[in-house]
Amino acid sequence: MSAKEGEPAVRVRGLIKQHGKGEGLVRAVDGVDLDVAAGETLAVMGPSGCGKSTLLYLLGGLDRPTRGEVWLSGRRIDQLSERALARMRRDSIGFVFQAFHLMDELTAVENVELPALLAGRSPRAARKAASSLLEQVGLADRSGHLPSELSGGQCQRVAIARALINMPLVVLADEPTGNLDSAATRDVLRLFDTLHSAGQTLIIVTHDPRIAATANRMISMRDGAFVDETRLTGGVQGTLAELTGLGG
Amino acid sequence: MVLLVIAVAVTALTLGLALKGTTDNPYQQTRTATAGPDVVANYVGRDGGPASLDALTQASGVVGHSGPYPIANPVLRADGDAVTVTAEGRDSSATSVDQPEVTSGSWVRPGGIVVERGLADSLGLRAGDPITLSGLSFRVAGVAVTAAMPSYPMSEPGLIWVTRADAQRLGAPAAPVFYVMNLKLADPADAQAFADAHSRTGLSLMTSQFISDQDASLVVNSQQDLLVGSWLLALLAAASVAVLVGGRMAEQTRRVGLLKAVGSTPGLVTAVLLAENLLLALLAAAAGLLAGRLTAPLLTSPGAGLIGTPGPPSLSLSSAALVTAAALAVAMIATAIPAVRAARSSTVRSLTDSARPPRRHGKLIVASAGLPVPLLLGLRLAVRRPRRSLLTVCSIAVTVTTLIAVLTFQRYADNSARAYGSFGAANPQNARNSQVLLVITIALVVLAAISAIFTTWATVQDARRPSALARALGATPEQVTAGLSAAQLLPALLGAVLGIPLGLGLYAAVSSGQSLPVPPAWSLAAVVLASLLVLAGLTAIPARIGARHSVAEVLQADAT
């Protein structure tokens, strides 16, 4: 799915997410406004518990806001039905999680092809695309392995391949290097850099300044609200199709 | 829930054991009320006539008698029904041995017959009804019970009483009248020895014990059905309890980790988990024993052929101990493996409550390539929990086995009813068996339904993470629901198919010797299909609820 001409890939207005009631009321996200342009890489940083991950889940339609609006390429998504949200996620969003969140029961290639199968692609086409992506992330020889047979870095690379298989409008990454050692972190950094260069819209929640440094813009968050915004270097240098070799 | 499942099984087992000897008391009451004989002698030879029986009155140990009475076998027709009966010719005056107790109407008179109550019930006859015997018109004067003959249908043909003169009239030339005599002995305990000593060609002797046993056989089949049913229920309960306990163990993983972290040995952890479930089993056994004892009288009616009411169900201390031991064994078997496994698991893993990674099944991976996503996920989830899948196979196999056995019995009963239909009388034994089988079937189906719901719920709980993940990747709630249901339906299909030969085998084993009236293939297929459809409906509810868990909450919890 490609972004509509002139529309930001992601637009958020007055976003609030509350948990609990009365004395125990917590505003995990407190009145956030945000525009992310197509092809932009945005890093969101902040201390643990500041609401970064909640914001990411709201942007990806995994959670519903208490108030406010979330728009994806000109389409408001916060009021969609569960089924419509599911379709939106499979077509427009790619997720990369800190805990990888691969299906333990499925092999690496099956994990990667799952969103394509859910989107209705034929098993053969899905398998071909998944194998190609695994090759891109350097895991062609591990495609038949279960997640329990892969290292953390390999799992995260499988997760990144999975996030890309439906050529999403935006990739949302939640602490993608949080569970990785230095070598694996370097591999993932390289992949994100390549994605950024290929013009993939990326929103990355991270503690890691090295990841944040690959972004065009960095936002600092505290107590559910944006407190600082820094524009960094960066720019579009290719297309996702070129990166994945799958065609446009 | 563990309590309920075990209690249902214990109730059935209690019923099975409590039915033992329930007709003894009514037979004794009937015997007392009718001055029942100790030995009944039938002379069916062609020579000698009543004189052959008269000699018995002089035999050693005989202190009283009635008869000889003439017997004929006319065809009774009433309201479109036709049935061959045993017509015993009686005097209108009372006798000191075997004077049938008239329960409605009056005793025999010329043109007026009395019908044994079991037969009267089957034919729907009441005092005043017109009937014919071998074409001669009569009226039903009354209905009575006797202890000198097993009641219908344990004794066939059924018994009626007529006057001596009418009995003689009814003796067809092709089937001449024969005679019966009722004997009272000085010591009733000598009845069998007396019968053995005096039996000879043409003279058969029947003891009161034999008659009592025949009457009891009316409920013996029911007792056998209940016992088999209760063991099936116990099997199903064991499978259900295993799933429930497994679910409870999964919920207690963190608690186990805490116990071990503060110094509990694996043995102590196992003991704590076992004690908890065994206590529940003990409570369930008590509830089941009480429920079984209270409901037993509903199934222990002695039948229309006897008067009086059964005594309290004979639930001895040993039976109660057996039932309790069975309940504890079910809980022990179901708890032992998960308890030991939980106790042996890594403390750190228990504290983090993380699931064990699945094993690699290379052939399965190849075989399931290309399956639709819900089936693929369902298959992998089912394979990941082999013990639970096996329990699902067992649950459905037990249920379908019972349904097929009941269906086979029903076919036998239908065939039997058709055969009886030619004589015009219903078979109360089949009716009683149908009643008992209905109770067992309902109990099994309810238990299987509960088991299916909780097994699915356990799967839903286990599959929270993959379900949430599938939804995050774009699976709709319907696709996730289908996947979770498939995880139950795939092993259930195997269990349902296995249930067909097992059900036929069970019927063959229980009916020992009877021909196997195999139901038509379409009805066997319908049972399997209906079981799977019901299961699909039942599993869809918890699966649907599970598919609506907040994705964000599940994934965030898993990340911490």
Side-chain angles (χ1 to χ4, degrees), chain A residues 103-151:
Chain A
M103 292 263 193
D104 293 338
E105 299 82 4
L106 303 183
T107 61
V109 72
E110 287 171 339
N111 264 290
V112 176
E113 72 186 1
L114 184 61
L117 292 171
L118 287 169
R121 246 192 275 184
S122 73
R124 179 174 293 191
R127 180 57 60 96
K128 190 178 169 195
S131 299
S132 172
L133 278 166
L134 280 176
E135 200 176 326
Q136 296 285 324
V137 298
L139 290 174
D141 59 333
R142 312 294 277 177
S143 66
H145 287 63
L146 293 173
S148 56
E149 299 163 332
L150 300 174
S151 69

Side-chain angles (χ1 to χ4, degrees), chain B residues 102 185 446:
Chain B
V102 176
L185 303 182
V446 168

Side-chain angles (χ1 to χ4, degrees), chain A residues 157-171:
Chain A
R157 281 189 275 158
V158 172
I160 291 170
R162 181 182 63 186
L164 297 175
I165 193 159
N166 284 342
M167 288 181 280
L169 179 72
V170 58
V171 170

Side-chain angles (χ1 to χ4, degrees), chain B residues 218-554:
Chain B
L218 187 64
V219 292
V220 161
N221 282 350
S222 310
Q223 188 191 10
Q224 191 180 19
D225 292 345
L226 265 178
L227 265 177
V228 172
S230 60
W231 286 116
L232 287 173
L233 274 168
L235 262 179
L236 191 56
S240 309
V241 170
V243 171
L244 290 169
V245 168
R248 286 168 61 85
M249 294 293 177
E251 286 166 14
Q252 294 183 0
T253 307
R254 210 181 283 261
R255 193 178 134 218
V256 167
L258 282 170
L259 276 172
K260 290 166 78 175
V262 297
S264 297
T265 61
L268 183 65
V269 172
T270 308
V272 167
L273 296 172
L274 274 175
E276 189 178 322
N277 287 298
L278 290 181
L279 183 66
L280 283 176
L282 211 56
L283 288 173
L289 278 168
L290 185 66
R293 199 174 191 292
L294 291 176
T295 51
L298 301 175
L299 292 170
T300 56
S301 152
L306 299 174
I307 58 172
T309 53
S314 62
L315 191 62
S316 63
L317 202 60
S318 59
S319 297
L322 176 70
V323 168
T324 308
L328 289 175
V330 163
M332 175 69 96
I333 292 166
T335 314
I337 295 173
V340 169
R341 185 182 286 168
R344 284 184 178 173
S345 63
S346 143
T347 305
V348 174
R349 187 184 287 278
S350 298
L351 281 170
T352 54
D353 202 3
S354 56
R356 282 177 299 133
R359 289 183 191 157
R360 158 175 287 278
H361 298 277
K363 285 180 185 167
L364 177 78
I365 289 170
V366 173
S368 56
L371 284 177
V373 173
L375 260 183
L376 174 72
L377 293 179
L379 184 63
R380 297 293 173 87
L381 286 172
V383 171
R384 179 163 190 179
R385 296 283 182 184
R387 203 162 66 96
R388 184 176 299 154
S389 297
L390 183 66
L391 293 173
T392 302
V393 171
C394 290
S395 293
I396 300 301
V398 167
T399 310
V400 173
T401 294
T402 310
L403 292 174
I404 296 292
V406 169
L407 197 66
T408 310
F409 168 78
Q410 211 51 54
R411 188 164 175 80
Y412 160 77
D414 288 348
N415 291 346
S416 172
R418 268 195 289 278
Y420 272 99
S422 62
F423 297 109
N427 186 336
Q429 194 177 16
N430 283 350
R432 179 184 287 265
N433 280 340
S434 296
Q435 183 189 0
V436 169
L437 288 173
L438 182 68
V439 170
I440 291 171
T441 307
I442 290 172
L444 267 165
V445 168
V446 168
L447 203 54
I450 292 172
S451 173
I453 290 172
F454 280 89
T455 306
T456 310
W457 187 243
T459 304
V460 165
Q461 292 303 311
D462 278 351
R464 277 166 68 105
R465 183 178 165 279
S467 300
L469 192 50
R471 286 174 59 203
L473 298 176
T476 60
E478 290 77 15
Q479 285 174 309
V480 174
T481 303
L484 291 169
S485 289
Q488 303 307 309
L489 286 173
L490 290 170
L493 177 64
L494 177 64
V497 171
L498 277 176
I500 294 177
L502 289 175
L504 293 173
L506 176 69
Y507 181 85
V510 172
S511 63
S512 59
Q514 286 177 17
S515 63
L516 188 64
V518 180
W522 66 263
S523 63
L524 298 176
V527 168
V528 170
L529 195 64
S531 304
L532 292 175
L533 281 175
V534 169
L535 186 70
L538 287 171
T539 56
I541 301 164
R544 183 81 184 166
I545 295 169
R548 290 190 176 279
H549 281 140
S550 161
V551 175
E553 274 178 30
V554 176

Side-chain angles (χ1 to χ4, degrees), chain B residues 27-79:
Chain B
Y27 179 77
Q28 288 307 325
Q29 288 180 40
T30 306
R31 195 167 135 75
T32 306
T34 61
D38 297 315
V39 175
V40 178
N42 285 279
Y43 182 76
V44 293
R46 288 185 175 274
D47 59 325
S52 301
L53 292 170
D54 284 337
L56 287 175
T57 62
Q58 307 302 317
S60 169
V62 175
V63 293
H65 75 278
S66 66
Y69 298 119
I71 298 284
N73 286 112
V75 173
L76 184 154
R77 290 180 192 278
D79 200 20

